[in-house]
Amino acid sequence: MSESTASSDTVLLRGGEVHSPADPFATAMVVEHGHVAWVGSEGAADAFADGVDEIVDLEGALVTPAFTDAHVHTTATGLALTGLDLSDAPSLESALALVRDFASARPADRVLLGHGWDAARWPGGRPPARAELDAATGGRPLYLSRIDVHSAVVTTALLDLVPGVTARAGYSPDGPLIRDAHHAVRAAALGAITDGQRIEAQRAALAHAASLGIGSVHECAGPEISSEDDFTGLLRLAAEKPGPRVVGYWAEWAEEGVAKARALGAIGAAGDLFIDGSLGSHTACLHQPYADAEHTGTAYLDTAAVAAHVVACTGAGLQAGFHAIGDAAVTSVVEGVRAAAEKVGLARVRAARHRVEHAEMLTPETIAGFAELGLTASVQPTFDALWGGEDGMYAQRLGAERARSLNPFAALLRTGVPLAFGSDSPVTPLDPWGTVRAAAFHRTPEHRVSVRAAFTAHTRGGWRAIGRDDAGVLVPGAPADYAVWRTAELVVQAPDDRVARWSTDPRSGTPGLPDLTPGNDLPVCLRTVVAGRTVFVRPNE
């Protein structure tokens, strides 16, 4: 949604808690012409009551900036919401039963689509075999992406739709497909959905985001992920229909990618421009071999390619960005961006706010490189909640010692690296408060950050990641993108009371946030507003 579609109504919200640095004890807010006009106390709100078009009694509810999810695949998210979701399947057998039921229920689909299986969490650890899927679908084309979307299992009938796939890198006669083979079957599967299915999926994803208090999503598209029609259709839908804002990135390399990104309406040739793959699929690129495989993963682009891309984007005034998970991949990004800075100037590179998506395996040297080069770390805390810990997938892939170093959010913040939080949906669900909780209660205690810092990374951080420093916070002049929440008492939570005990004192003026201690209920979204327009109201509230 563009700011030109902002509501012209003037609205007074009062009788609640307004989370604002302008007034940490604010209970009221005025919105005018799609922007925040005033934030303050209940007594002062009386002066505005006669001059507004609407008064909203918050009845004690909390008002916060709307969340920004800084890494989303919108159509895939919608297809997961409306299609076959295997993320909760507890075993291979249950996954196959879900496939059978889904195939029976969708007799007209040209290709069956599903997502979310994770054999690392199943007894025996084995993914579905092709013959098992052929039997479960009755021989129909089926594409099932692993939870990380970097590999997939498919049926023979889908392979038959992709000439030459058996000769592509990453093809396996019976196991999951990775690399080029995976990209080819994914393109064929997604290419089989109709325009109607795609629009239905996009609408479902954006409506679901709005229901969770998400006011903006960063769509990470590209030729290996979706299609040009999918991307432009999504941007068009977001511009025409009230809902969350959609900021588009197109992941294509160098001069051709810059031209394509600009032509498609993207703000950067960035997002999932793959330097490597994922840890779960053994394709993240590492300096040392995997603990459970005798190789170091896959490198798609090297340091020289990174440098060329950053030079091209910086010269064109667009953001560059890369998908980098393994430590070797992150090193390639830092070295490549540094080489680009030597060519075009450090100040220009820093001003461009280039991005790195995921950035899971960092070292003190690469963290310092992020800070030096002005790189934004676009990260997904729920990855740690899902796969961290002594017995999690990270430890299986890397060994416990290396696994403990992953997703070091506190070290990034201490070094001054800007953080933007996201979900990588459908890899992990859209769940903003759960994401904030995952960062504040990281499985590795030294990587935890305060709830306030995590909340900022998931609101203002997403706006800063697109070059906007005036948004994602409820202060006069900021866009009126906000959410209203039903929640319990507000508190100030820090990862360690010795670090931030002062901020829990009311005299510090630190605004409170919901208590996200694991086991507590998360806030419930009652209303989401984008540019002053209501895009979600919880039914029966």
Side-chain angles (χ1 to χ4, degrees), residues 356-360 377-381 407 409 412 419-423 435:
V356 185
E357 310 298 321
H358 316 309
E360 293 194 75
S378 171
V379 294
Q380 295 75 42
N407 300 300
F409 305 135
L412 286 162
L419 294 184
F421 281 0
S423 62
T435 297

Side-chain angles (χ1 to χ4, degrees), residues 148-402:
D148 58 7
V149 202
H150 283 270
S151 59
V153 289
V154 302
T155 55
T156 304
L158 182 60
L159 291 176
D160 291 342
L161 299 178
V162 189
V165 67
T166 59
R168 287 180 176 261
Y171 174 78
S172 168
D174 194 45
L177 307 183
I178 60 173
R179 300 175 60 188
D180 292 348
H182 174 229
H183 297 155
V185 296
R186 177 168 59 188
L190 295 179
I193 69 172
T194 65
D195 289 345
Q197 284 176 297
R198 186 184 72 232
I199 293 169
E200 176 194 18
Q202 292 171 346
R203 285 178 171 165
L206 293 177
H208 184 56
S211 76
L212 298 170
I214 296 171
S216 299
V217 298
H218 296 180
E219 166 68 13
C220 293
E224 294 180 343
I225 301 162
S226 52
S227 69
E228 294 179 23
D229 288 344
D230 181 90
F231 182 67
T232 56
L234 174 63
L235 296 183
R236 188 164 55 250
L237 176 67
E240 293 171 353
K241 301 289 185 184
R245 302 175 194 259
V246 176
V247 175
Y249 287 98
W250 183 259
E252 198 164 343
W253 179 61
E255 300 286 353
E256 183 179 340
V258 166
K260 183 65 64 66
R262 178 163 281 152
L264 295 177
I267 71 163
D272 276 332
L273 185 57
F274 296 118
I275 304 299
D276 66 345
S278 74
L279 291 165
S281 292
H282 289 101
T283 50
C285 190
L286 313 180
H287 284 304
Q288 302 297 325
Y290 285 87
D292 60 350
E294 295 180 357
H295 61 82
T296 57
T298 304
Y300 296 118
L301 294 176
D302 60 14
T303 297
V306 170
H309 187 65
V310 173
V311 167
C313 289
T314 305
L318 291 177
Q319 280 182 290
F322 306 93
H323 163 119
I325 286 179
D327 49 4
V330 175
T331 296
S332 288
V333 170
V334 170
E335 291 178 351
V337 177
R338 187 175 284 129
E342 291 171 359
K343 186 167 183 178
V344 303
L346 178 60
R348 289 182 69 194
V349 165
R350 287 179 59 88
R353 303 193 190 188
H354 302 308
R355 298 171 52 142
V356 185
E357 310 298 321
H358 316 309
E360 293 194 75
M361 293 185 70
L362 293 152
T363 64
E365 292 74 24
T366 50
I367 291 173
F370 274 45
E372 170 202 352
L373 299 164
L375 296 174
T376 294
S378 171
V379 294
Q380 295 75 42
T382 305
F383 286 4
D384 173 73
L386 269 181
W387 301 315
E390 297 296 309
D391 301 317
M393 183 270 288
Y394 290 152
Q396 294 173 30
R397 294 290 184 268
L398 303 171
E401 183 178 352
R402 273 197 293 177

